[in-house]
């Protein structure tokens, strides 16, 4: 009996020894977390921490369907310098593509490009593990770019059109999904009604999106081209382009609002003074005085009121 008790005590003390060693910071066996027993393609070069982590930058590529396709050299170089000095301050968002065997960028392509320029070998990411269809990806990319105002007018218009086609939406449904003013969507989509060569002028910045929207109201493509050329070379301002479009559509130009003032007497009579032009109270007094003189003339000559 005594031997059995001693053996049990040694077993308990042995277990306590191991726990004591670990509680003091010592481990008899080093533990290394592994991503999977057999590394998958998406785990190569990746060091995760939940949904956030770091991956070899060569494992990340742009999404071929990204709405934004142009990045200015100056902006990229400025961001690259910031990354060299202060590091990457926010992760990019990526999703795994089995077909390409790479992580595709959902949002943050500009940061990825600048990180390459800054000679980073890894990049911080938010790894989207769930499945996303093309519509969901495009919607997220659009929202990201719209918030940052990164899209050019025609990039935005084409992305709107693609998202509408994918979901069989109209402009109003698209505006509701993206939380946008419907007028912004309709004005943007109007740019797609321009001839390709006029769209090129908009893309290059020679014709502003505001002026291009006005030109899209014309039915004749040759008229659109002619006015676009005049806008591009500085012969027409935006306001002049608006007037030119109205004239070619046969609509009268909006006339400036005039002035009107009504005075009510205690016995119920109303006297209204109006003018097609803006004026002052001095002008009103002068008009009233002339009206009084006319009324007195009618009175003196026995002109009947009714």
């Amino acid at each position: 009996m005594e031997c059995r008790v001693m053996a049990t005590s040694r077993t308990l003390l042995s277990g306590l020894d191991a726990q004591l060693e670990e509680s003091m910071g010592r481990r008899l066996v080093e533990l290394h977390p592994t991503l999977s027993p057999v590394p998958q393609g998406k785990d190569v070069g990746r060091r995760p921490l939940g949904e956030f982590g770091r991956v070899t930058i060569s494992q990340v590529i742009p999404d071929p369907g990204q709405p934004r396709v142009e990045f200015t050299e100056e902006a990229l170089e400025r961001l690259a310098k910031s990354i060299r000095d202060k590091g990457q301050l926010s992760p990019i968002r990526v999703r795994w593509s089995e077909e390409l065997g790479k992580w595709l960028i959902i949002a943050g392509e500009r940061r990825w490009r600048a990180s390459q320029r800054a000679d980073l070998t890894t990049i911080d990411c938010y790894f989207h593990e769930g499945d996303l269809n093309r519509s969901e990806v495009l919607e997220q990319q659009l929202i990201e770019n719209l918030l940052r105002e990164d899209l050019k007018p025609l990039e935005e218009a084409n992305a709107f059109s693609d998202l509408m086609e994918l979901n069989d939406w109209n402009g109003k449904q698209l505006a509701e999904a993206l939380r946008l003013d419907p007028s912004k969507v309709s004005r943007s989509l109007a740019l797609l009604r321009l001839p390709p060569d006029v769209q090129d002028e908009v893309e290059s910045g020679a014709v502003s999106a505001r002026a291009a929207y006005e030109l899209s109201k014309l039915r004749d493509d040759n008229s659109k081209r002619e006015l676009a050329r005049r806008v591009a070379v500085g012969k027409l301002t935006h306001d002049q382009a608006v007037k030119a479009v109205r004239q070619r559509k046969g609509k009268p130009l909006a006339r400036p609002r005039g002035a009107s003032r009504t005075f009510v007497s205690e016995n119920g009579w109303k006297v209204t003074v109006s003018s097609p032009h803006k004026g002052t109270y001095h002008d009103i007094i002068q008009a009233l005085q002339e009206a009084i003189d006319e009324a007195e003339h009618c009175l003196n000559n026995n002109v009947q009121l009714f």
Side-chain angles (χ1 to χ4, degrees), residues 1 53 68 98 108 117 134 146 208 211 219 229 259 278 284 305:
M1 173 69 79
R68 188 181 183 192
E98 286 289 352
R117 290 189 177 215
R134 180 68 198 124
L146 289 170
S208 71
R219 292 186 178 181
R229 282 193 294 269
K278 291 184 178 181
I284 291 176
L305 184 59

Side-chain angles (χ1 to χ4, degrees), residues 208-222:
S208 71
R210 290 177 64 218
Y213 167 69
E214 298 298 333
L215 301 183
S216 71
K217 297 176 182 179
L218 294 171
R219 292 186 178 181
D220 180 51
D221 282 352
N222 288 330

Side-chain angles (χ1 to χ4, degrees), residues 15-275:
L16 288 174
D17 259 354
Q19 294 178 25
L20 184 61
E21 291 282 353
E22 186 167 344
S23 69
M24 294 175 65
R26 294 180 57 194
R27 284 187 177 176
L28 301 179
V29 179
E30 288 296 327
L31 299 178
H32 296 285
T34 58
L35 292 165
S36 64
V38 178
Q40 300 177 7
K42 67 179 183 178
D43 294 333
V44 175
R46 177 183 171 201
R47 305 174 73 184
L49 180 61
E51 294 175 326
F52 290 90
R54 186 171 296 170
V55 68
T56 304
I57 203 166
S58 60
Q59 284 292 98
V60 180
I61 61 173
D63 187 333
Q66 163 69 259
R68 188 181 183 192
V69 294
E70 290 191 19
F71 300 84
T72 64
E73 289 293 315
E74 182 182 352
L76 283 175
E77 193 53 48
R78 188 166 58 247
L79 182 55
K81 183 178 184 304
S82 172
I83 291 173
R84 289 188 202 101
D85 295 341
K86 300 176 182 177
Q88 183 188 347
L89 298 181
S90 60
I92 66 173
R93 299 181 64 217
V94 296
R95 64 187 178 94
W96 178 251
S97 169
E98 286 289 352
E99 180 184 357
L100 299 174
K102 298 284 184 180
W103 289 96
L104 299 186
I105 300 171
I106 298 175
E109 184 175 340
R110 187 168 65 99
R111 276 167 283 163
W112 173 78
R113 289 176 180 270
S115 296
Q116 287 183 310
R117 290 189 177 215
D119 297 323
L120 296 189
T121 57
T122 60
I123 188 166
D124 294 329
C125 300
Y126 170 83
F127 300 102
H128 190 100
E129 297 285 2
D131 292 331
L132 288 173
N133 61 39
R134 180 68 198 124
S135 174
E136 291 170 326
V137 171
L138 181 56
E139 189 172 336
Q140 289 190 27
Q141 291 171 336
L142 258 177
I143 292 171
E144 174 82 10
N145 284 304
L146 289 170
L147 288 174
R148 296 176 179 272
E149 298 184 353
D150 278 347
L151 291 178
K152 288 188 172 183
L154 280 165
E155 288 177 338
E156 179 182 274
N158 283 308
F160 284 167
S161 178
D162 290 345
L163 196 53
M164 288 169 63
E165 185 177 349
L166 282 169
N167 294 287
D168 195 24
W169 284 344
N170 57 33
K172 183 179 179 181
Q173 290 170 317
L174 174 70
E176 289 175 353
L178 298 180
R179 304 294 190 270
L180 295 174
D181 189 320
S183 64
K184 175 178 175 59
V185 173
S186 61
R187 291 174 71 91
S188 180
L189 291 172
L191 302 183
L192 300 180
R193 297 199 297 267
L194 297 170
D197 50 332
V198 177
Q199 290 186 19
D200 290 341
E201 297 280 10
V202 178
E203 188 73 13
S204 67
V207 175
S208 71
R210 290 177 64 218
Y213 167 69
E214 298 298 333
L215 301 183
S216 71
K217 297 176 182 179
L218 294 171
R219 292 186 178 181
D220 180 51
D221 282 352
N222 288 330
S223 295
K224 294 174 185 177
R225 290 188 177 97
E226 179 195 341
L227 291 181
R229 282 193 294 269
R230 292 171 65 187
V231 171
V233 298
K235 290 185 177 180
L236 283 181
T237 64
H238 173 264
D239 290 341
Q240 290 170 335
V242 172
K243 291 180 180 179
V245 169
R246 284 182 177 273
Q247 289 170 344
R248 297 199 179 199
K249 290 184 68 177
K251 288 187 176 181
L253 297 178
R255 298 190 178 278
R257 296 179 61 183
S260 179
R261 186 74 165 83
T262 299
F263 301 91
V264 182
S265 67
E266 292 182 358
N267 59 5
W269 282 81
K270 294 181 180 179
V271 179
T272 300
V273 182
S274 62
S275 168

